[in-house]
Amino acid sequence: MVKEDMLSGQTVLIVEAEFLIAFDIQAMLEDLSAGQLLLARSAAEANRFKPDWPSIDLAIIECVRNCAQTDELLTGLLQSGTSVVLNSSDSALIDGHPDFPDIPVIIKPMIEEDFRRSVARAIARLPRTSDCAS
């Protein structure tokens, strides 16, 4: 895939338990010109970045249904203005997360074009306030 400037140096949080999947996500984000990448293996681990949430532009979060920690993480990131894409191996989420219906969901294994479209949809849905402050 040709490198795009879709993320143009933006900070991205990846929350993914599987190292190889996180590595694939990292490579796809680099192709979209992401800047700083923050990695966490779980929603609980992602909380260590809580002071940085307002500066995180996009989060790619592994989603397991009925996980209170993931739901709390999603709520916190959305409230801080972060755009979010969910990824899951749960095919029941193919039409979206019931509690977060506006967040794009990618079912694993991820196809790069689907990933790119989901990222574009997520960042178009929630413009950063810093982008509007000029």
Side-chain angles (χ1 to χ4, degrees):
M1 181 172 197
V2 176
K3 189 166 180 153
E4 297 181 36
D5 288 335
M6 182 186 300
L7 295 176
S8 153
Q10 294 182 10
T11 300
V12 181
L13 171 64
I14 302 169
V15 181
E16 173 59 56
E18 297 295 326
F19 174 76
L20 291 176
I21 294 172
F23 184 72
D24 285 344
I25 292 169
Q26 177 183 352
M28 289 186 280
L29 289 167
E30 288 171 352
D31 285 344
L32 298 176
S33 300
Q36 183 180 12
L37 299 176
L38 307 171
L39 301 171
R41 291 175 295 176
S42 67
E45 192 176 301
N47 282 321
R48 76 173 191 246
F49 297 113
K50 195 170 190 171
D52 299 319
W53 285 0
S55 64
I56 295 173
D57 300 293
L58 175 67
I60 310 297
I61 301 175
E62 179 179 30
C63 181
V64 178
R65 280 192 300 167
N66 303 320
C67 179
Q69 286 183 326
T70 300
D71 290 354
E72 289 172 21
L73 175 64
L74 287 169
T75 299
L77 287 167
L78 291 168
Q79 288 174 347
S80 71
T82 301
S83 298
V84 175
V85 172
L86 299 176
N87 73 75
S88 181
S89 56
D90 185 347
S91 61
L93 294 173
I94 196 162
D95 293 322
H97 188 296
D99 296 328
F100 301 93
D102 295 332
I103 296 177
V105 177
I106 305 169
I107 302 300
K108 299 175 190 178
M110 288 182 260
I111 298 169
E112 192 165 358
E113 184 58 28
D114 292 341
F115 180 83
R116 188 194 66 72
R117 272 195 302 262
S118 294
V119 167
R121 183 175 152 214
I123 60 177
R125 180 188 152 282
L126 192 61
R128 298 293 294 185
T129 55
S130 62
D131 294 343
C132 304
S134 296

